Amino acid sequence: MKLRNQFIWITIFAIAMGFLESAVVVYLREILYPEGFRFPLSPIPADLAVTELFRELATMVMLVSIGVLAGRRFSTGFAWFIYTFAIWDIFYYVFLWLLLGWPESVITWDVLFLIPTTWTGPVIAPVLLSLTMILLAVLVLVNARQDRDTRILAGEWGGLVLGSLVLIFGFILDYSQHMLTHFTLAGMFDVQDPEVLEVATRYIPLRFPWWIFWIGETILLLVILLYARRMKRQAPSGSSQAPSGSSQAPSGDP
């Protein structure tokens, strides 16, 4: 399949996933927040909390599956995974705004994720991260189509992991500080403990650590820049080695 067609169909899939995710949230908010979502959080039954955790895990399995199916090498599979994730996340907020008129602004706080603990932050933060993911994904996929060696080197992986961990730390910091005033680090993860859920519902966001977010984003962008420069210096495989007059078939779709 041509790269353009892959982008079209995977984008459609990711947008549909975004609508499905937003529809689930519409139902949850009708049950838990009939007057509109706000902090502090409404009490949530333990079985519903566990269901939400597994739903998010299932979502990750679906996104990884796209990478496995669409990518012909590890780097392109990873690129399709983060591209699908990013489009899904952006359109999740687009559909929530269309369906509920929420978020009211890009700085409205949201519960972003629940694994391994609750992530919170202004809506603009995950959207900016999603745009960064799209940038890296397109860079990998376009260079793969040009038959370059798109492997991500160990040092580049180290930078991506480091930047991601810094960002995750920023997303969970405010909520974790609230929970750690009541529980041990291990105790705050026991979602079947009614007291944990009760304390969680008293959480009100205080401040988002933008300085941590921008450190993480800067690390990711530097890695992407270095990767792009390495791709630019690399001639497409076989472009100069093929004998004159010979034709060389492309290596296949990313």
Side-chain angles (χ1 to χ4, degrees), residues 30-190:
E30 185 67 25
I31 296 169
L32 299 172
Y33 303 94
E35 297 180 1
F37 175 76
R38 62 190 179 278
F39 291 93
L41 302 175
S42 295
I44 180 170
D47 57 345
L48 188 56
V50 172
T51 301
E52 273 297 284
L53 288 173
F54 279 101
R55 182 181 68 83
E56 290 202 344
L57 182 60
T59 299
M60 291 299 101
V61 171
M62 294 170 67
L63 293 171
V64 169
S65 298
I66 288 294
V68 172
L69 292 171
R72 295 203 174 186
R73 60 191 84 164
F74 185 81
S75 60
T76 55
F78 172 71
W80 283 123
F81 163 69
I82 62 173
Y83 176 80
T84 309
F85 189 109
I87 296 295
W88 159 71
D89 196 39
I90 290 172
F91 276 88
Y92 162 72
Y93 285 114
V94 169
F95 287 123
L96 278 183
W97 184 78
L98 291 173
L99 293 169
L100 299 177
W102 187 95
E104 294 86 0
S105 75
V106 295
I107 60 172
T108 299
W109 280 69
D110 187 25
V111 175
L112 308 176
F113 207 54
L114 298 174
I115 302 173
T117 189
T118 302
W119 305 24
T120 59
V123 167
I124 187 62
V127 171
L128 289 173
L129 178 56
S130 292
L131 294 175
T132 304
M133 293 163 69
I134 291 171
L135 175 63
L136 176 57
V138 171
L139 184 62
V140 172
L141 294 168
V142 169
N143 278 284
R145 175 45 60 96
Q146 294 172 353
D147 210 19
R148 290 186 169 92
D149 182 357
T150 55
R151 283 178 294 181
I152 301 173
L153 302 181
E156 295 163 344
W157 275 119
L160 292 175
V161 170
L162 176 60
S164 299
L165 290 175
V166 171
L167 286 165
I168 292 171
F169 178 70
F171 285 129
I172 69 174
L173 180 61
D174 194 59
Y175 174 81
S176 297
Q177 288 176 327
H178 166 76
M179 296 300 289
L180 289 172
T181 61
H182 300 84
F183 305 100
T184 64
L185 182 60
M188 66 178 278
F189 290 99
D190 186 4

